[in-house]
Amino acid sequence: MASGHILKSFDEDLAELRALVAQMGGLAEEAIDGAIASLANRDAEAAAYVVEADRELDRLEAELERQVVRLIALRAPLADDLREILAALKIAGVIERIGDYAKNIAKRVPLLLDSRGIEPISILPAMARATAEMVHDALDAFAARDPDAAMAVCAQDRVVDDFYNSLFRALLTYMMENPHTISASTHLLFVAKNLERIGDHATNIAEMVHFAATGEQVAERGRGADTLAPINA
């Protein structure tokens, strides 16, 4: 009876961790959507909301860290359970960073209120959708402990990289043809780079999911030969 009670309590603790990760993931997805929508609509007020909402992601990450420390100290989990707990901890940190990238995008909206004439900006919503889909699918893979779904997310990263490369080339050409748009175009490059980094972090989550489910590390990824412009966003 005591053993069964302990097992049930431990399962409940794991479920709570998964719920926190899911809650953080939902907020991160909302932040990505909100940041890009505020840019598309030139809505500085909506962008400010995205920036402020990032505080909740920070709070949830701290709460998850406390629960992980308590769970490891009280339950001394082994093997599969320990991998899942550590994966949740690492994934929470990655999600928090994704939120930071979305916040960085939102912070640039007030600087882009007069950028309606820049044609390459039309690529950003599609790139953002592909990126947000990667985050969503990676978190679904974590919830299902599905290594195959996780690896499918890794394969999607190429799509986001292709969006970034296309946008980089388009904006570079646009700046050469319209020098007065250089400042706004540079901000848009930073936005695109933030989205590309979110895609990389979604891939990191997927690799953690794969390891948690199988105990096997994913082979190190090489960056594509045509990946352009290492902009520090």
Side-chain angles (χ1 to χ4, degrees):
M1 291 289 291
S3 177
H5 176 74
I6 291 172
L7 183 60
K8 180 180 179 182
S9 179
F10 181 65
D11 287 343
E12 290 172 351
D13 288 337
L14 284 178
E16 191 169 350
L17 276 186
R18 295 186 194 109
L20 277 173
V21 170
Q23 186 177 357
M24 290 184 68
L27 290 176
E29 290 178 53
E30 289 177 9
I32 298 167
D33 292 343
I36 294 300
S38 66
L39 175 59
N41 298 324
R42 309 304 192 279
D43 189 337
E45 184 176 344
Y49 175 80
V50 173
V51 173
E52 181 62 26
D54 186 63
R55 294 175 183 268
E56 180 64 7
L57 265 179
D58 295 339
R59 187 192 69 79
L60 288 173
E61 183 192 16
E63 172 62 22
L64 187 142
E65 287 176 353
R66 286 192 293 269
Q67 291 204 25
V68 166
V69 170
R70 181 184 63 82
L71 189 55
I72 292 175
L74 292 178
R75 308 295 187 194
L78 300 173
D80 291 356
D81 290 331
L82 180 59
R83 286 202 309 270
E84 181 173 359
I85 291 168
L86 294 178
L89 178 62
K90 290 181 178 181
I91 288 170
V94 174
I95 294 172
E96 190 277 333
R97 188 66 181 131
I98 287 172
D100 286 343
Y101 283 120
K103 179 175 67 174
N104 289 345
I105 293 171
K107 284 182 175 180
R108 292 188 183 271
V109 170
L111 306 173
L112 288 163
L113 295 180
D114 298 322
S115 62
R116 293 184 184 278
I118 300 180
E119 295 173 7
I121 197 174
S122 62
I123 300 174
L124 279 173
M127 182 180 181
R129 283 193 297 273
T131 304
E133 182 178 341
M134 284 185 69
V135 174
H136 181 82
D137 290 350
L139 293 169
D140 277 355
F142 173 72
R145 289 180 59 86
D146 186 337
D148 293 331
M151 293 310 296
V153 172
C154 295
Q156 292 173 250
D157 190 47
R158 187 67 183 179
V159 174
V160 174
D161 287 345
D162 287 346
F163 268 122
Y164 175 72
N165 290 339
S166 175
L167 186 59
F168 179 87
R169 293 187 179 97
L171 283 170
L172 187 62
T173 300
Y174 200 80
M175 285 188 281
M176 292 172 65
E177 294 175 350
N178 304 274
H180 65 282
T181 68
I182 287 176
S183 178
S185 295
T186 301
H187 287 304
L188 289 174
L189 280 175
F190 277 108
V191 169
K193 187 59 182 177
N194 277 285
L195 287 173
E196 191 266 341
R197 291 297 294 134
I198 290 172
D200 287 344
H201 281 303
T203 301
N204 291 340
I205 291 174
E207 290 175 351
M208 293 172 198
V209 171
H210 185 275
F211 176 72
T214 67
E216 298 176 358
Q217 296 280 2
V218 177
E220 184 176 352
R221 289 170 287 149
R223 297 188 65 82
D226 60 341
T227 299
L228 300 172
I231 297 174
N232 294 320

